[in-house]
Amino acid sequence: MHSLQFTAESSANGVLARDFTVGGVPGVLWSPASGADRAPLVLLAHGGGNHKKHPAMTGRARLLVTGCGFHAAVIDAPGHGDRPRSAHDEAEIAELFRARAAGEPEGPVVVRYNAHLAELAVPEYRATLDALQDLPEIGAAGPVGFWGLNMGTAIGVPFVADEPRITAAVFGQHWPDVLAAQAQRITVPIEFDLQWDDEHISREEGLALFDAFASQEKSLHVNAGRHKELPRFEADSAARFFTRHLTAAADRPA
Amino acid sequence: MHSLQFTAESSANGVLARDFTVGGVPGVLWSPASGADRAPLVLLAHGGGNHKKHPAMTGRARLLVTGCGFHAAVIDAPGHGDRPRSAHDEAEIAELFRARAAGEPEGPVVVRYNAHLAELAVPEYRATLDALQDLPEIGAAGPVGFWGLNMGTAIGVPFVADEPRITAAVFGQHWPDVLAAQAQRITVPIEFDLQWDDEHISREEGLALFDAFASQEKSLHVNAGRHKELPRFEADSAARFFTRHLTAAADRPA
């Protein structure tokens, strides 16, 4: 069991940002600067080729912290951000670039590489959650959400499938090949994003992954546009989804 | 050109509700009780078998009036609410009940009957919009939205396809047969609801209608559940959609 070490701290616009490591894996914990004892926590996971402080991560963290009063945390995926790349990482990335340059579909490479990264990342997410729940301002009793798209979904689906502490999750934009069987074991409420004109993931593939979740409460948000054109209002929607599911007072007035 | 006659008025919880008729067609206009000069207007259309004061209509009106500061208006569809049924209405309703009792799909009857009702209702909606825009508190300059599901979509798609005053619309839960060709002429932003486990409308049919819209900006919201189990948070989402598209100040902070 690894404990969490804080390595840096800054505060701006009402958000306290603390860099940390757990077992050598670097991450960031964002919290309300005004304090948020035992507030809900949402674990984030970044997309492929990105890192823990990518604007998509800091933007989602800001929505969760200042909009919802939650804690948000993310770690660098293996081979990403401040973590070293292995020879295997380098070979898979080279293969991805080769496929792209050749005009070949990148799905087969991404699916295979993401499945490999997920095997490494799932125990890291579990150890990070353990360590975060040891912090007095988070604790082990509160609800925990998970929010990851693209590679974040490839990591999140196997993580959430075996992690009963996660009670709501936002996923999306991934192929079903490896994940559909894992998704069939997920029963917590989910919100799922896909792009109607995704140049990498076909409609049939995107819908098949959404369909696979066993959750009684699941919502699919499809928007016109290509893979990287996911509208920013879907981040607002995800934050509202977590507010509905992670806070007791979120019941909608009749 | 018919003018609008107010026939009754009440006020509760910050909402002024005024019954009206336009050319003999009865409707309701909901407005902020505190006044809302030149505020945006959203036209509502009710579902089959329902009427202008069904709780789905009054609930949506309350969201639009008290949540957004908008006007909202609805009229009874032909053969619905306070309007008389024709012999044709009676025959089609009898056929629908017969099909249901026999366990036959109701789609063919509903598609045919709704197309008939839409032919009658579209000019009524146009006349109602003309008359509402003659009111000083609405005016002809402001943005106008349309929000109708089920039969409200069967009426709304042909109405919006030929009505340039509508600049954003929420549709959903209908078969594509008659509507897809009309939807191909709609280019304004839309939000579209469908139910993943709809016992009447197949996934393929629901997705085909969403796909048909020519709108560059279109969002599909799919939820697990049967036809009548559309979650209430989709009404909140629709109200936010109209806030984004009908108010100038709705631009999301970066």
Side-chain angles (χ1 to χ4, degrees), chain B residues 188-245:
Chain B
V188 298
I190 65 154
E191 187 163 291
F192 190 94
D193 297 319
L194 68 81
Q195 290 291 93
W196 201 232
D197 311 293
D198 194 309
E199 66 275 28
H200 302 302
I201 304 166
S202 73
R203 292 173 185 178
E204 292 68 26
E205 290 171 313
L207 293 170
L209 181 51
F210 170 71
D211 192 39
F213 288 90
S215 313
Q216 273 204 305
E217 184 166 348
K218 58 180 182 179
S219 301
L220 169 70
H221 287 189
V222 180
N223 287 282
R226 290 161 63 86
H227 186 75
K228 295 210 171 169
E229 294 176 340
L230 184 73
R232 296 189 64 174
F233 56 72
E234 290 299 351
D236 299 310
S237 178
R240 284 189 299 270
F241 168 83
F242 286 119
T243 296
R244 282 205 307 278
H245 292 291

Side-chain angles (χ1 to χ4, degrees), chain A residues 62-63 196 203 207 210-211 216-224 232-233 236 240 244 252 254, chain B residues 62-63 196 203 207 210-211 216-224 232-233 236 240 244 252 254:
Chain A
R62 193 192 62 239
L63 287 176
W196 201 232
R203 293 174 185 177
L207 293 170
F210 170 71
D211 193 39
Q216 273 204 306
E217 184 167 347
K218 58 180 180 178
S219 301
L220 169 69
H221 287 189
V222 180
N223 286 282
R232 297 189 62 175
F233 57 72
D236 299 309
R240 283 189 299 268
R244 281 206 306 278
R252 196 179 169 286
Chain B
R62 192 191 61 238
L63 287 175
W196 201 232
R203 292 173 185 178
L207 293 170
F210 170 71
D211 192 39
Q216 273 204 305
E217 184 166 348
K218 58 180 182 179
S219 301
L220 169 70
H221 287 189
V222 180
N223 287 282
R232 296 189 64 174
F233 56 72
D236 299 310
R240 284 189 299 270
R244 282 205 307 278
R252 200 179 166 287

